[in-house]
Amino acid sequence: MKYSKKKYKARLVDSQINKYLKTFPITYIEGPKWCGKTWAAINRSGSIANLDDEATYEMAITDLDLILTNTYPELIDKCNLVPNIWDKMRTLSNRTTKKGRYILTSSIVLNDEKNEKTFNSGLERIGKLKMSTMSLYESKDSTGVASITAMYKGKQKNVKIEKLSILNLSKLIVRGGWPENLRIKNNELSLIAKKYISSILTKDINDDKKRDERKMMHLLKALARNESTVVTVKTLMRDMKEHEHKDIIESEKTVFDYINVLERLFVIENQEAYTKNYRSKERIGKSAKKHFTDPSIAAYLLNLSAEKLSKDLKTLVFLFKSLVERDLRIYMENLGGRLCHFRDNVSGLEVDSVLEFENGDYALCEVKLSESGVEEAKKNLLKLKSKMNKPPKFMCIILGLYDAVVKDKETGIYLVPINALKI
């Protein structure tokens, strides 16, 4: 693939990368394949060493110095292919006190015990950040007239916007946030997700040991059928037995192993439970919701085109939540916070998303496809607010099919279409 700095599309993570290059000798970018890590790194690199190239790889594992040019910042793309990469990088970074010397990218969490120990011992010299697929704001599918920051500060204004159609919303889900997919034809929207899963199955899942491709596919489909839910291993095993007729995974240990490798590859993400500020902490559910890193993956695994999805409202509700929570995760990570969810296991009270800010503040968000769910969402948010020791900074309902950003006069709850939201 040819990379051009002129064609680079700005990403929210750019400001973090620039900051890290001024602060650390080594900037390490991890995240799912094809999300744009290499593009972001090349856009600010002086030289590139791509370890996918066989000759470059052979030189790198012999002596890392052989692939370096001393033209900074030096990009080492797919650094996970080099054994004991942190040992080698620490040696290089110790030669100088200058910042912004090296950028490393990886599509897999480097959890080798020795690598991890070396990484942790050199944290003051390594800036680590995560990149995701594109949010709707980054892909120019959100106007950005509503922002998390403005709501946090109480400065969000009411604004009219153009309402999405069900079909266009479905297209955004099926297309996903893959940079390479932005100009794709409508009848080819799922091709990137298809190629992504194929690449994961045929190569990446065998990074540390051999795994069964067909069984992994059955697990992926089970995860897709349970997208945006708190799902247990037992539930996934029952789901596979119900839907698959052969090659199902019989062992819980194997399911845990397969899920672990999917997490290491950033195929699935955990939306952790929010456990702070609630008055009855012993009732709080502590299990994470599981999401694919991009909703297009679930749509592909469920064999859904945009047209099919637009006519399957039950599935659309879950995949719309996946789309919203992908964007919220991206926005919160770039704000230095995190995305959580909440459930009271006794009363059943649930809230889709809790935005936890770096300073300990939080906000409550419900996700609804259309205006018909607004009143129920308001009641949920107000009920949870009444049971918290510390009030949320704001509450909002994020909608798929709505034509305005509005602050409800009675409750102070914001109504925000997903195609209006930004960081």
Side-chain angles (χ1 to χ4, degrees), residues 74-85:
E74 299 200 56
L75 167 60
I76 303 175
D77 196 30
K78 302 175 180 64
C79 72
N80 53 287
L81 298 176
V82 178
N84 303 320
I85 183 65

Side-chain angles (χ1 to χ4, degrees), residues 196-211:
Y196 176 84
I197 290 297
S198 176
S199 176
I200 293 291
L201 290 175
T202 57
K203 180 182 178 182
D204 299 327
I205 63 170
N206 301 313
D207 174 66
D208 56 343
K209 68 178 183 180
K210 182 69 176 175
R211 294 178 176 87

Side-chain angles (χ1 to χ4, degrees), residues 229-233 269-275 283-290 339-345 350-352:
T229 65
V230 176
V231 61
T232 65
V233 166
E269 309 257 0
N270 289 320
Q271 184 179 344
E272 301 295 339
Y274 185 76
T275 58
R283 300 156 62 113
I284 296 176
K286 294 180 173 62
S287 299
K289 278 203 291 188
K290 293 199 178 300
L339 176 68
C340 304
H341 75 96
F342 176 87
R343 177 179 172 83
D344 182 322
N345 282 336
E350 291 184 81
V351 167
D352 292 317

